[in-house]
Amino acid sequence: MALRQSLGLATRDYFHEWQISVCFVLALAAVLGPMMVLFGLKFGIVGSMIEELREDPAKREIRPVGSGRYDRAWIESLRKRDDVIFIVPRVRSIAATLEVQSDRANRILPLEVIPSAQGDPLLPPGSAAPKGLGEVVLSASAARKLQVSVGDGVDGSLSRRFQGRKERVHLPLTVVGVAPPRSFSRDGLFASVALSEALEDFRDGRAVPALEWEGEAAEGERHYTGFRLYARSIYDVAGLEEGFERSGIEVRTKAADIETVRRMDRTLSAIYWSIAVIGLAGFSLSLGASLWANVDRKRKELSVLRLVGFRTGDIVWFPVVQSLYTAVLGWALACAIYLAAAWSINLMLAPQLEAAQEVCRLLPRHYLIALGLTLGASVLAAVLAGIRAARVEPSEGLREI
Amino acid sequence: MAEQEERKPIYELRDVVKKRASDSYSFSLRVPSLRIFPGEKIALIGESGCGKSTLLDMLAFVLQPTSCEEFVFAAGDEPEDISAAWRRSRRNRLARLRRHHLGYVMQTGGLLPYLTVRENMNLSRRILGMKKDDTVDELAEELGLSRHLGKLPSELSTGERQRVAIGRALAHRPSIVIADEPTASVDPFAAEKIMALFIEMVEQRNITVIVASHAWRHIKQLGLRRLAHHTRRSKDGHAAETVVSG
């Protein structure tokens, strides 16, 4: 009963002395608001860089340097790893080309052949992957130059010198997809592994029965000179790279870029948190000091409450309740300051940004964390003042004028 | 007198001492024996600094005696051993006694600036969880405060504030009201009126009252029992002792 009374009275007092309360709230918002803007900038800038890393599959690619000798079993064993999301074997790059012609464009375009399969990170998720020996996906520039789109047919051709004479074969291909420009910028053709193998076989003078290309019979197990491998996430790249280097396979990755961003994140976080800790400590001290001084100022009123019969425990709540008001109101004002600042920063920098990208950004949980920290610091400060308030002897304050 | 002896005193004090000392001055208040009976009207008269407030604070359980032989308070069903409560630091028990049995009128105000007159007067009732009734309105009527009930204390004159304080001290029907120079800050004419009204109101309600004042002539016609006390000062003026009994 008395506790509820005490809460009610503390509330009345807080709003009665609204000028002083407004000062407390402003003091808090003045510390917390800029801190939220700083964090929003850090989170927004680093966040969008990490987002960029995440969205660009090229950052997750691991490419072997030079040519090696890998068999199918080894490729399969890599495919089973958790940190590998996509892997296909590559044939010799000199054999991985195809000359392509369409009815509409009056030219023959030499295209790089990229082995692909379902789930290729360079192809938009959910789009068709090239299957069998008759389907291909063109890169955006190749499709433009050949003036073809999905569903069109094109003619692929390649030649070899076999048994002393020059041979050229043609194969009809259907365009089942066009890759977005950002995933492959050169003139390229995504083909199934089987088709890329067939092209290599033909050039090596071997027969490809499925396409009725003649030649020597294939012998022994096929070996590949390389592979296309993508890590599951950017955070798996460094580990995979280390594993390859350990087993003597030199690879090229974007691990350094990723590490740069992560290091920047760590550095900015360290800077931010040191500012935040200093700011919050300063705020707690200043709130503690003002609440402490408040107890002196209100000595008489607190004495009156004790004289009327309030217990020690009820009096402690007085500064605690008031500091909670300050915390919540100050936090709300800080949020408003943050939102206004973030809005204008994002608006100012909008021309330099891609759509939906924000330089200054906070997630809902960040607001809650800010509230939690503020409440914690305030209660800590208030409990000290509260204990002091409870120690006010009722007879002490009565005679003051 | 004989009739009073049969009743149980509401306060019974024996050899209660409060000492205060600073670097250059020491003061002590000694109460060899004091008994106050229910319904009595007690006056404590003396110059400021003689220890009136010290005694009142001890009687209101807000000041701990330096030493005491016996200090019993018997307003409730059971007599309370105040000296034991202090010794055991049972402050919440003392707060409870104040809440239920005491009303206190301070020299100035003592009103909470953020509550209206009505809420200030109702404070002692609210903390006891007493039901809303006409008590506050009736008190306000008697004290001439009816039209001020919705105002904040800062809008009132000093005399009006003192009347609010009297209202608050009486609102929860305490057994005892202690008033420390309740009219000292009011002009003499108003002071006499307020004091007369105050005594009349406690008489009607059969409340024991203990009033401190520096001027006997203001209250001698009100029929109060005056506590005997005398103050001795040391020759160098650095020490004073007041002895009160009654």
Side-chain angles (χ1 to χ4, degrees):
Chain A
M1 193 66 197
L3 177 64
R4 225 182 63 209
Q5 301 288 339
S6 184
L7 299 186
L9 291 174
T11 306
R12 291 292 293 269
D13 185 26
Y14 190 78
F15 291 102
H16 177 73
E17 287 193 319
W18 62 270
Q19 293 101 328
I20 287 171
S21 306
V22 163
C23 290
F24 283 158
V25 168
L26 285 177
L28 169 56
V31 175
L32 191 59
M35 241 152 63
M36 286 173 79
V37 175
L38 267 180
F39 186 79
L41 281 172
K42 180 203 94 92
F43 185 74
I45 291 170
V46 176
S48 63
M49 287 170 91
I50 287 179
E51 196 77 354
E52 213 169 284
L53 286 180
R54 262 201 209 121
E55 278 180 6
D56 185 0
K59 300 285 196 254
R60 287 186 280 130
E61 187 176 9
I62 294 173
R63 292 193 307 172
V65 178
S67 56
R69 208 175 139 79
Y70 312 104
D71 58 29
R72 202 181 287 270
W74 186 81
I75 300 279
E76 282 306 316
S77 72
L78 276 177
R79 196 194 305 277
K80 292 197 182 94
R81 287 179 62 122
D82 281 343
D83 48 0
V84 172
I85 200 163
F86 181 80
I87 180 168
V88 286
R90 245 183 208 286
V91 299
R92 288 199 317 281
S93 55
I94 197 145
T97 59
L98 189 65
E99 284 160 9
V100 178
Q101 194 177 11
S102 77
D103 296 339
R104 296 197 198 131
N106 204 5
R107 63 193 280 195
I108 296 171
L109 198 65
L111 294 182
E112 210 176 307
V113 174
I114 306 130
S116 179
Q118 197 66 44
D120 190 335
L122 291 186
L123 303 180
S127 70
K131 280 191 288 286
L133 299 173
E135 289 182 5
V136 292
V137 171
L138 293 177
S139 77
S141 71
R144 197 182 63 244
K145 287 176 186 166
L146 293 168
Q147 297 177 29
V148 292
S149 53
V150 176
D152 289 344
V154 293
D155 171 70
S157 69
L158 69 166
S159 65
R160 69 177 173 186
R161 191 165 284 281
F162 182 60
Q163 290 170 345
R165 58 176 202 280
K166 200 172 176 185
E167 280 181 5
R168 175 168 286 274
V169 288
H170 289 264
L171 72 162
L173 298 168
T174 309
V175 179
V176 295
V178 174
R182 59 173 288 172
S183 61
F184 197 84
S185 56
R186 299 188 298 272
D187 297 342
L189 178 150
F190 293 83
S192 67
V193 174
L195 181 54
S196 75
E197 286 172 359
L199 300 180
E200 189 184 48
D201 281 343
F202 176 75
R203 286 199 165 97
D204 287 350
R206 286 197 288 271
V208 183
L211 291 166
E212 294 173 349
W213 294 342
E214 289 170 7
E216 292 154 9
E219 52 186 66
E221 203 192 342
R222 172 181 284 279
H223 285 90
Y224 302 94
T225 59
F227 50 84
R228 285 182 62 216
L229 189 153
Y230 289 86
R232 188 181 43 133
S233 83
I234 51 170
Y235 305 109
D236 296 318
V237 171
L240 277 167
E241 177 176 22
E242 209 181 87
F244 281 121
E245 306 271 309
R246 255 208 311 276
S247 50
I249 301 166
E250 200 188 331
V251 292
R252 196 161 290 156
T253 66
K254 292 288 195 321
D257 291 7
I258 295 165
E259 186 49 32
T260 305
V261 171
R262 296 179 75 187
R263 195 179 313 130
M264 198 162 90
D265 184 17
R266 281 196 294 271
T267 311
L268 285 177
S269 296
I271 293 172
Y272 171 76
W273 282 113
S274 32
I275 294 174
V277 164
I278 292 168
L280 211 61
F283 163 70
S284 311
L285 278 177
S286 90
L287 185 67
S290 28
L291 287 170
W292 187 276
N294 239 3
V295 171
D296 262 345
R297 207 163 50 84
K298 291 181 193 292
R299 186 175 283 261
K300 180 159 184 174
E301 289 161 31
L302 292 174
S303 297
V304 168
L305 288 180
R306 309 207 64 184
L307 194 58
V308 175
F310 278 88
R311 283 188 304 252
T312 312
D314 306 326
I315 302 280
V316 177
W317 284 99
F318 229 76
V320 173
V321 168
Q322 299 192 340
S323 79
L324 288 181
Y325 278 119
T326 301
V328 172
L329 294 175
W331 169 80
L333 183 58
C335 287
I337 291 173
Y338 164 78
L339 288 173
W343 178 78
S344 46
I345 289 172
N346 288 331
L347 192 71
M348 238 167 7
L349 297 179
Q352 283 105 294
L353 296 176
E354 288 177 30
Q357 214 181 6
E358 287 174 315
V359 172
C360 200
R361 190 161 77 102
L362 287 183
L363 300 178
R365 69 161 184 272
H366 293 134
Y367 292 94
L368 293 180
I369 289 171
L371 179 62
L373 285 174
T374 313
L375 287 177
S378 305
V379 168
L380 194 74
V383 163
L384 294 178
I387 290 171
R388 183 169 150 90
R391 288 221 181 106
V392 170
E393 282 296 332
S395 66
E396 246 174 75
L398 296 180
R399 319 284 168 221
E400 290 167 10
I401 296 163
Chain B
M1 225 35 193
E3 189 190 344
Q4 276 185 0
E5 293 298 327
E6 286 161 25
R7 287 190 290 166
K8 271 194 344 196
I10 198 163
Y11 279 106
E12 178 135 35
L13 281 73
R14 213 146 40 75
D15 285 328
V16 173
V17 178
K18 178 70 192 178
K19 286 189 173 132
R20 290 171 192 270
S22 63
D23 291 342
S24 58
Y25 186 72
S26 78
F27 165 79
S28 69
L29 173 78
R30 222 149 57 71
V31 184
S33 161
L34 175 64
R35 301 176 113 196
I36 296 171
F37 290 89
E40 269 198 297
K41 292 170 287 171
I42 305 290
L44 192 56
I45 308 298
E47 293 304 313
S48 60
C50 74
K52 298 190 301 283
S53 301
T54 306
L55 180 58
L56 292 185
D57 285 352
M58 286 199 290
L59 292 176
F61 324 129
V62 291
L63 187 66
Q64 181 167 15
T66 313
S67 69
C68 83
E69 191 64 35
E70 187 182 6
F71 190 159
V72 176
F73 177 72
D77 304 330
E78 289 288 307
E80 292 279 345
D81 186 346
I82 303 300
S83 73
W86 275 118
R87 258 199 325 275
R88 295 183 200 140
S89 282
R90 300 186 61 185
R91 278 150 197 259
N92 286 346
R93 177 144 204 95
L94 295 173
R96 202 184 113 82
L97 289 178
R98 283 201 293 277
R99 203 153 64 221
H100 284 273
H101 301 298
L102 278 181
Y104 202 111
V105 185
M106 275 178 256
Q107 202 161 343
T108 52
L111 304 177
L112 298 176
Y114 44 87
L115 297 183
T116 61
V117 167
R118 179 191 291 282
E119 289 164 329
N120 261 297
M121 285 172 66
N122 205 30
L123 187 64
S124 48
R125 293 176 59 81
R126 252 174 66 183
I127 188 177
L128 285 172
M130 292 169 91
K131 286 205 176 62
K132 271 208 174 114
D133 58 14
D134 299 335
T135 310
V136 169
D137 292 276
E138 284 165 18
L139 280 170
E141 177 77 44
E142 274 185 78
L143 290 159
L145 293 168
S146 294
R147 63 204 170 85
H148 299 307
L149 279 172
K151 292 182 183 170
L152 290 176
S154 56
E155 298 169 72
L156 302 184
S157 72
T158 320
E160 284 162 345
R161 282 183 220 170
Q162 286 307 102
R163 281 185 272 158
V164 176
I166 290 169
R168 186 178 66 197
L170 296 175
H172 59 303
R173 302 203 165 276
S175 329
I176 298 143
V177 170
I178 292 174
D180 186 10
E181 305 236 22
T183 56
S185 53
V186 185
D187 71 87
F189 179 66
E192 256 174 80
K193 267 176 63 181
I194 291 175
M195 188 64 96
L197 179 61
F198 174 47
I199 297 299
E200 187 192 322
M201 285 171 82
V202 295
E203 254 175 356
Q204 274 172 13
R205 289 165 174 76
N206 201 26
I207 294 172
T208 312
V209 65
I210 305 166
V211 188
S213 177
H214 61 278
W216 174 237
R217 56 187 173 80
H218 283 171
I219 51 176
K220 64 181 169 194
Q221 73 276 22
L222 297 173
L224 277 66
R225 170 159 81 97
R226 186 176 173 173
L227 289 187
H229 74 89
H230 57 95
T231 302
R232 275 200 311 259
R233 289 178 201 280
S234 65
K235 279 179 189 133
D236 56 9
H238 290 322
E241 186 190 48
T242 298
V243 179
V244 184
S245 56

